[in-house]
Every structure is written in C-alpha cells, then in structure tokens.
Amino acid sequence: SAVISQKPSRDICQRGTSLTIQCQVDSQVTMMFWYRQQPGQSLTLIATANQGSEATYESGFVIDKFPISRPNLTFSTLTVSNMSPEDSSIYLCSVTLSYEQYFGPGTRLTVT
Amino acid sequence: QKEVEQDPGPLSVPEGAIVSLNCTYSNSAFQYFMWYRQYSRKGPELLMYTYSSGNKEDGRFTAQVDKSSKYISLFIRDSQPSDSATYLCAMNNAGNMLTFGGGTRLMVKP
C-alpha cells in the first residue's frame, strides 16, 4: 500500500486568493491524481499528473484555474487559483500502485 | 444514465446485521472493481479490490462481482458501529482512471 500525506489538512480562504495543496507519497509512483469531492458528493477527477510532463486535465477543469506541479516521483502540488465559494470542497490526491488506487486524507477548503 | 449507479442510502442497520451494498454499471469494459470506505472528514480507504467475477473474502468483508449482470456487491458480516461510513464502489478498465459510484452512507446502530 501507499502512505499519502497532504498539507494543509484544511484552510479557510478569501475569495480571489489562491491556495497551494501539497501531496507527499512514501513510494515512487509514475502517476498521481487530483480529485475534488464536493459536500455530499462522490469524487470527481480534476487531473492526472505524470512526473516530467504536463498534467492532463479532465473536462471542466483548466490549467489556469488548477495549475499542478510534479517535480519528482513522490511529490505533487495542486493550486486552486482565484478562488470563489464554489471551490469550497475537499481536494484529494491519489496514486496507483499495482493497479490499486490509494487516497490521501484530503484538504478541506472553505472559501468565504 | 450514469456509468456507475449506487443507492445513496442512508442504510441503517442494527449491530451484528449482515450488510449488503451494491453497484450496477453500464460499461462492459470495466475489469477492475474496488470498494472504498470513507469516514466523515477523511479520505477514502481501499477496502477490497477484485479483478474477475466471483467472490473475494477478507475478514468480515466479501466482495462479489457478476460481470454478466454488471453488478457488484460488498457484504459486511457482523456489522459494528465502527463500520458506519460512506462506502464507494469504483471501477476501471486497463487504464488508470477510476469511475466512482455516488457512495452509500451506512449507519450501524448499537
């Protein structure tokens, strides 16, 4: 299995500002994923991040709004830019090991 | 129609009951099936992972896959209050992108 940590665990931010979420994994992984989980909802994939290449974004998500960095095989960041209250959500990073997918504890973001 | 359908619940059972959680799916290309447990304010935790049709058992948990009916189940025996959580089914094909069900909220009452 993989142990994944995220920072911060939660934050309250003003609209118009940006927040960068960090994800650290205890194993080297090729692909890392970023998900959003809105209150009472299931998980929605934002983007897939491979080390050394541009992230691949799902429909409805754009790089200007959710820039991602993947500097090495154990770390990634997701930035939520120019935030609005609609961005209030839990953001989760995830990795795949041997076809099994593991999730971090999530970052709970509230935008006021 | 969603690719993966899951009854949102809530499902309320007494302690010790057998719980049955289910998902149906429409994409016959799905080959890998997972069940996640998510406690409130936590990330999803992988419970069970199956590849083929049939049953897989792990302690009090049994995962069942019926590819011909496009139907998967998770059974919890001797349910405990600590099993109270939201259970998410997820599946994919040979690629890595998971498709999730909406989750079923389970409450086990002492």
Side-chain angles (χ1 to χ4, degrees), chain A residues 16-79:
Chain A
T17 62
S18 297
L19 176 72
T20 295
I21 303 168
Q22 299 178 8
C23 177
Q24 180 77 49
V25 189
D26 70 341
S27 307
Q28 292 188 335
V29 294
T30 303
M31 299 174 76
M32 295 179 78
F33 307 90
W34 286 98
Y35 286 82
R36 182 172 73 182
Q37 188 176 29
Q38 295 182 305
Q41 303 295 314
S42 190
L43 285 77
T44 301
L45 181 64
I46 297 171
T48 302
N50 289 338
Q51 193 267 336
S53 62
E54 293 283 332
T56 302
Y57 289 83
E58 297 301 308
S59 175
F61 298 96
V62 295
I63 188 171
D64 289 347
K65 176 68 175 177
F66 297 101
I68 289 171
S69 78
R70 183 79 202 274
N72 59 51
L73 291 174
T74 63
F75 187 79
S76 178
T77 67
L78 169 77
T79 300

Side-chain angles (χ1 to χ4, degrees), chain A residues 31 37 42 99 101 104-105 108, chain B residues 36 38 41 43 49 96 98 101:
Chain A
M31 299 174 76
Q37 188 176 29
S42 190
Y99 298 106
Q101 192 157 340
R108 181 176 293 269
Chain B
Y36 289 86
Q38 187 174 23
R41 300 176 182 272
Y49 168 82
N96 285 307
L98 280 178

Side-chain angles (χ1 to χ4, degrees), chain B residues 19-54:
Chain B
V19 175
S20 173
L21 302 164
N22 310 295
C23 288
T24 59
Y25 62 95
S26 57
N27 188 345
S28 58
F30 287 140
Q31 299 176 312
Y32 302 92
F33 304 91
M34 282 143 264
W35 285 96
Y36 289 86
R37 177 176 62 196
Q38 187 174 23
Y39 292 115
S40 180
R41 300 176 182 272
K42 302 287 186 184
E45 170 194 6
L46 181 63
L47 271 181
M48 300 285 285
Y49 168 82
T50 54
Y51 168 66
S52 59
S53 285

Side-chain angles (χ1 to χ4, degrees), chain A residues 86-99:
Chain A
E86 292 70 36
D87 295 318
S88 297
S89 190
I90 299 172
Y91 292 85
L92 296 145
C93 78
S94 176
V95 303
T96 299
L97 278 179
S98 301
Y99 298 106

Side-chain angles (χ1 to χ4, degrees), chain B:
Chain B
Q1 183 190 7
K2 293 180 182 178
E3 272 195 298
V4 180
E5 298 276 1
Q6 187 175 7
D7 189 328
L11 177 62
S12 181
V13 301
E15 183 176 355
I18 296 175
V19 175
S20 173
L21 302 164
N22 310 295
C23 288
T24 59
Y25 62 95
S26 57
N27 188 345
S28 58
F30 287 140
Q31 299 176 312
Y32 302 92
F33 304 91
M34 282 143 264
W35 285 96
Y36 289 86
R37 177 176 62 196
Q38 187 174 23
Y39 292 115
S40 180
R41 300 176 182 272
K42 302 287 186 184
E45 170 194 6
L46 181 63
L47 271 181
M48 300 285 285
Y49 168 82
T50 54
Y51 168 66
S52 59
S53 285
N55 293 352
K56 181 177 180 179
E57 190 173 318
D58 184 1
R60 295 186 296 111
F61 299 90
T62 299
Q64 190 173 81
V65 175
D66 183 346
K67 288 187 177 179
S68 62
S69 301
K70 299 190 183 66
Y71 189 88
I72 68 171
S73 300
L74 178 70
F75 298 96
I76 307 174
R77 290 183 298 280
D78 187 24
S79 57
Q80 304 294 309
S82 59
D83 295 326
S84 299
T86 295
Y87 290 80
L88 296 149
C89 65
M91 50 199 76
N92 63 2
N93 54 21
N96 285 307
M97 186 176 130
L98 280 178
T99 299
F100 283 88
T104 299
R105 185 173 159 221
L106 171 66
M107 295 185 292
V108 181
K109 299 192 173 180

